[in-house]
Amino acid sequence: MSKFGEIVGLNIPVLIDFYTEWNEASVKMHPVLRDVASAVGDKAKVIKIDVDKNTQLAEALRVKGLPTLMIYKNGEMMWRKSGEQNAESIIALLEQYA
């Protein structure tokens, strides 16, 4: 949990993807998030968190649907949405919070 606090405390937008390998929608998001990461470069961070390996964190953040995406900046949640998203809208959001 303390490492999570360090990650989301950055002064650049941090996109967090809560996923599992057995969830089809989560798996479909992998290439989308790779595209997002390459598009934003060092202006934002993209972090993937496996819910099965981080159950306490997922419960603390009330992650129910998968995938669940969140954008944090300076420790504050700026945006959150569950379900598949497209790269263009995620990139636009990250640029908005940059």
Side-chain angles (χ1 to χ4, degrees), residues 25-43:
S26 291
V27 173
K28 284 183 183 175
M29 286 300 295
H30 293 336
V32 171
L33 294 172
R34 264 195 301 276
D35 292 347
V36 169
S38 65
V40 297
D42 58 3
K43 294 182 287 190

Side-chain angles (χ1 to χ4, degrees), residues 64-75:
K64 304 280 187 238
L66 294 173
T68 293
L69 303 172
M70 300 177 191
I71 296 176
Y72 278 85
K73 185 174 179 181
N74 297 320

Side-chain angles (χ1 to χ4, degrees), residues 28-80:
K28 284 183 183 175
M29 286 300 295
H30 293 336
V32 171
L33 294 172
R34 264 195 301 276
D35 292 347
V36 169
S38 65
V40 297
D42 58 3
K43 294 182 287 190
K45 264 194 163 325
V46 177
I47 309 285
K48 297 174 69 54
I49 297 178
D50 187 331
V51 172
D52 290 335
K53 295 178 183 165
N54 297 277
T55 52
Q56 274 188 307
L57 179 60
E59 286 173 16
L61 293 170
R62 297 187 192 99
V63 173
K64 304 280 187 238
L66 294 173
T68 293
L69 303 172
M70 300 177 191
I71 296 176
Y72 278 85
K73 185 174 179 181
N74 297 320
E76 184 180 341
M77 186 188 301
M78 311 301 283
W79 177 86
R80 174 182 177 143

